[in-house]
Amino acid sequence: SLWGVCSSGLGGRSLTQGIADTALCVAASAVVADAAATALGNACNVQSPKVRRILAEKVEPDTDIAGLLVTESVADLSEFEIDAAIDSASIYAHGLVHDNVILGAVVSLSGKVAVTGGFADKVAPLELI
């Protein structure tokens, strides 16, 4: 059985509404993993004056998400803010696993990491070729 692994996060080549350093999803296909990683990256979020947001079209004039705010930069967050953002992403990721959208996920922010369980019973062992 094949599956896809994709990631998203602040500082990558795409725009994000979230603040995750990394949001990684494993799914039954790369298309689903990619969409889920984007959504998970957006879910890693907190309202804070330390998060600077601007309209997407100010960053990328030809964007398909014109009118939406995207994250431009993040100053040093408090432990509380980091925990709140990680918790938000973790809840979202567990919902995606529960709904069988993805097989599992990892999200990281400022050195903290959240991982969904259940990978072992959902993916086939790797075979060396």
Side-chain angles (χ1 to χ4, degrees), residues 29-123:
S29 72
V31 170
V32 172
D34 186 42
T38 298
L40 181 59
N42 290 342
C44 183
N45 221 329
V46 66
Q47 292 302 312
S48 170
K50 297 173 187 170
V51 179
R52 181 173 156 83
R53 300 178 199 283
I54 61 173
L55 290 170
E57 60 269 26
K58 299 253 183 198
V59 179
E60 183 60 48
D62 296 327
T63 185
D64 60 349
I65 59 170
L68 295 179
L69 292 173
V70 296
T71 305
E72 182 181 42
S73 63
V74 181
D76 289 337
L77 298 169
S78 70
E79 290 296 311
F80 176 81
E81 291 168 319
I82 293 166
D83 289 344
I86 286 281
D87 287 348
S88 176
S90 180
I91 290 166
Y92 188 82
H94 281 91
L96 292 175
V97 171
H98 178 267
D99 293 343
N100 293 314
V101 175
I102 63 172
L103 302 170
V106 176
V107 65
S108 69
L109 174 62
S110 298
K112 294 200 174 185
V113 178
V115 180
T116 61
F119 279 108
D121 61 340
K122 294 183 179 176
V123 295

